[in-house]
Amino acid sequence: MKMITGGAFQGKTSYAVHNFGILAENIKDGEKCGFDEVFGAKCIVNYHLLVKRLIDNGVEPMEFTEQLCSENSDTVVIINEIGCGIVPIEKSERIWREQVGRCGCIIAGKSQEVVRVIGGIGVVIKCGI
């Protein structure tokens, strides 16, 4: 498993395509794909939005993420950093933000490589197990 993180619109997907040989047809979008689709995906973008959808549908995001890590350990997961900045007023937004952070920690812990992309440049923050 590999994880790519960073702020919005920083070139994370392009980094995955160019550095990990991901083809566009092998990318599943967490914003709109079926939950089961991620278990066979070569790459998942917008995992942070998948977490939001899981919460909205009453699915426990951390359990789902643990299952993903065990069943699809070859995937590349792209997840936005959403924990920086002003703490949201809405409780549901705070819960989502916390769950994204916790799921990101699970993915990072299980990943062989973690890359943070800023301005299209990847900085490897974990390499190897």
Side-chain angles (χ1 to χ4, degrees):
M1 180 169 271
K2 294 176 176 58
M3 176 178 161
I4 300 173
T5 190
F9 309 107
Q10 292 297 311
K12 297 180 296 295
T13 303
S14 293
Y15 183 90
V17 167
H18 290 95
N19 290 279
F20 300 134
I22 304 294
L23 301 175
E25 60 265 19
N26 294 327
I27 298 173
K28 297 295 179 186
D29 189 342
E31 183 176 17
K32 53 189 169 199
C33 71
F35 295 154
D36 290 341
E37 290 181 63
V38 300
F39 294 103
K42 299 246 187 236
C43 180
I44 307 159
V45 299
N46 292 320
Y47 197 82
H48 58 290
L49 297 178
L50 178 64
V51 170
K52 187 174 198 63
R53 291 177 50 227
L54 291 168
I55 293 167
D56 291 346
N57 285 279
V59 179
E60 211 298 313
M62 290 173 47
E63 289 176 14
F64 184 92
T65 300
E66 289 282 1
Q67 182 181 353
L68 172 68
C69 291
S70 66
E71 292 185 23
N72 192 0
S73 61
D74 292 330
T75 193
V76 175
V77 178
I78 301 174
I79 184 170
N80 279 14
E81 291 179 356
I82 63 166
C84 300
I86 298 170
V87 176
I89 293 173
E90 293 292 324
K91 183 177 181 179
S92 62
E93 292 293 310
R94 291 192 306 271
I95 290 169
W96 170 55
R97 192 160 132 167
E98 178 183 344
Q99 290 297 308
V100 168
R102 292 184 185 278
C103 290
C105 288
I106 292 167
I107 296 165
K110 307 259 186 196
S111 291
Q112 294 83 25
E113 187 170 342
V114 178
V115 180
R116 184 167 190 242
V117 177
I118 303 167
I121 299 170
V123 178
V124 177
I125 56 177
K126 179 182 179 185
C127 187
I129 291 182

